[in-house]
Amino acid sequence: MGDSDSPRPNHKSQITNHKSFLSLDRLDKHFAGLHVTADFSLTVARSEIVALLGPSGSGKTTVLRLVAGFETPDSGRVVVEGEDVTRLPPERRRFGMVFQHYALFPHLSAGENVVFGLESQKVPREEARRRVAEALSAVGLEGFEPRRTGEISGGQQQRVAVARALAPRPRVLLLDEPFSNLDPALRERTRRELKRIIRQAGITTLFVTHEQEEAFELGDRVAVLNAGRLEQVGTPEDLYEKPATRFVATFIGRSSVLPARWDGNARLASLEAGPAWKAAGGENLSAGPVDLVVRPEGLKFLAGSSQDALAGEVTARRYAGRLASFDVSLDGGGSLEVLAPSKAAKPGEKVFVGLDPEAPAPRVFAKD
């Protein structure tokens, strides 16, 4: 892993403390001698939507495939509604799956694609016809039964894939990067519609994404993975404002990292350039060198020099309407990103940067 900045979350406690509908208990998986997931534990409550978020190669899709039954863990369990399904084949788990590339049959109609998921359950013909109509209606595709999938848009194909997953009335819905093939505008509309559908159906959902905005918008909670391990699981607000590890603090959102020295008693992080800033997250750290992680909106430009300010020069400005993002090269070395009113400064201008007292305090972590 590499990050030892704070104690790892107690994965076992996440199973016992969160009322569980789906439990992933200490899942381990190796491929060709490589540890892809390590001691991975997570619980998902009934009707909850949980996002698996992390960089490429972090193990997100492997976890989803272990839950679906397409891979078997080397150790650990997958439990749903108290039933251990770890060794059950995928078709006996009653899970719905929406793949990244939808996996629709182009030579079949929308209705034929949706009914495909009911055939293994041997649902009677009339009941299957009714469920197909219900599932397509739920995704806003009433009357699309005869339409060939090659004749409809990408967003409509995605909804057909969701309808196919919903028709068998799954216990758990699994989504693997379901929006990656859509253009940005369609992706935003489709994920909002999908969240409405999932909420209306009340289905427990686990989905994989590498897009933070997507994870934050759809997920009731977000599980952040890194190198096959669970770094932290929590609400979007928890992850952004109270990151448990340095990886989460720098992976979620935007941030600047400054070297400092931690005084645990006074809860002050003394920066090498001079000021000592109040910080959070160092309860278990001894006094000594630390990394201070600060968000752009946690900083502000000051009118002049002070003992609480860092001096520097604006090197870039990215306009975003009323606010802009400013890159500041610090006189003492290093750089900062500051979110401030668009007209607060301009490139080449000398500035002084301090903490915004109304924003959450920056957080400290043990140095790498």
Side-chain angles (χ1 to χ4, degrees), residues 1 10 51 95-96 127 166 188 199 237 241 253-254 256 262 273 280 289 294 303 311-312 318-319 324-325 331 367:
M1 258 288 280
N10 185 323
F95 291 178
E127 171 68 8
L166 294 177
E188 185 174 347
R199 283 277 184 255
E237 291 83 358
E241 297 180 7
R254 302 177 69 88
S256 302
W262 177 239
V294 58
R318 291 177 292 280
Y319 178 77
S325 177
D331 290 352
K367 295 190 73 67

Side-chain angles (χ1 to χ4, degrees), residues 266-325:
R267 305 190 63 76
L268 289 175
S270 298
L271 301 173
E272 293 181 356
W277 287 349
K278 280 283 187 182
E283 295 84 356
N284 298 314
L285 294 181
S286 301
V290 293
D291 284 332
L292 182 72
V293 180
V294 58
R295 301 290 188 193
E297 67 273 20
L299 299 168
K300 68 176 184 176
F301 293 125
L302 303 180
S305 176
S306 79
Q307 64 178 5
D308 296 324
L310 289 169
E313 180 180 318
V314 175
T315 57
R317 169 181 174 269
R318 291 177 292 280
Y319 178 77
R322 188 179 67 86
L323 298 177
S325 177

Side-chain angles (χ1 to χ4, degrees), residues 47-336:
S47 301
E48 186 182 26
I49 304 173
V50 173
L52 300 179
L53 175 67
S56 297
S58 61
K60 306 182 299 295
T61 295
T62 297
V63 169
L64 204 71
R65 291 179 63 83
L66 291 170
V67 176
F70 300 130
E71 303 287 351
T72 302
D74 298 321
S75 62
R77 301 183 306 151
V78 177
V79 179
V80 60
E81 293 187 286
E83 176 190 2
D84 188 336
V85 300
T86 312
R87 305 298 164 181
L88 284 182
E91 65 272 14
R92 293 183 57 193
R93 298 193 183 196
R94 288 179 49 214
F95 291 178
M97 182 88 181
V98 179
F99 297 92
Q100 182 174 349
H101 298 290
Y102 310 151
L104 298 176
F105 300 106
H107 62 286
L108 299 180
S109 67
E112 289 167 337
N113 268 279
V114 175
V115 81
F116 184 84
L118 299 172
E119 292 178 348
S120 63
Q121 295 184 358
K122 298 181 179 180
V123 176
R125 182 175 300 178
E126 286 303 315
E127 171 68 8
R129 185 179 295 115
R130 185 175 64 81
R131 288 204 202 176
V132 169
E134 286 180 351
L136 287 173
S137 176
V139 299
L141 294 178
E142 297 94 337
F144 270 64
E145 286 89 340
R147 297 278 295 275
R148 298 280 181 179
T149 55
E151 301 171 347
I152 61 180
S153 69
Q156 289 169 335
Q157 289 179 26
Q158 196 264 0
R159 285 188 278 169
V160 171
V162 173
R164 183 178 60 185
L166 294 177
R169 297 175 180 170
R171 294 190 287 183
V172 177
L173 180 63
L174 305 173
L175 307 170
D176 185 11
E177 303 262 15
F179 312 109
S180 61
N181 295 320
L182 305 179
D183 63 70
L186 182 57
R187 183 184 304 139
E188 185 174 347
R189 293 198 303 269
T190 304
R191 71 190 183 206
R192 289 177 182 174
E193 182 66 12
L194 179 58
K195 184 172 185 178
R196 182 194 64 78
I197 293 166
I198 293 172
R199 283 277 184 255
Q200 189 172 31
I203 298 177
T204 304
T205 301
L206 192 66
F207 77 97
V208 161
T209 182
H210 65 274
E211 296 283 349
Q212 294 180 31
E213 182 180 354
E214 194 167 282
F216 278 24
E217 182 173 347
L218 267 71
D220 298 313
R221 289 186 302 147
V222 178
V224 180
L225 285 75
N226 181 31
R229 295 184 181 273
L230 180 63
E231 291 273 340
Q232 186 178 356
V233 58
T235 65
E237 291 83 358
D238 288 338
L239 297 178
Y240 192 85
E241 297 180 7
K242 300 176 182 178
T245 68
R246 188 184 189 278
F247 175 84
V248 175
T250 54
F251 179 72
I252 297 294
R254 302 177 69 88
S255 59
S256 302
V257 181
L258 297 172
R261 187 168 187 83
W262 177 239
D263 178 348
N265 294 327
R267 305 190 63 76
L268 289 175
S270 298
L271 301 173
E272 293 181 356
W277 287 349
K278 280 283 187 182
E283 295 84 356
N284 298 314
L285 294 181
S286 301
V290 293
D291 284 332
L292 182 72
V293 180
V294 58
R295 301 290 188 193
E297 67 273 20
L299 299 168
K300 68 176 184 176
F301 293 125
L302 303 180
S305 176
S306 79
Q307 64 178 5
D308 296 324
L310 289 169
E313 180 180 318
V314 175
T315 57
R317 169 181 174 269
R318 291 177 292 280
Y319 178 77
R322 188 179 67 86
L323 298 177
S325 177
F326 298 86
D327 291 339
V328 178
S329 177
L330 299 175
D331 290 352
S335 62
L336 284 173

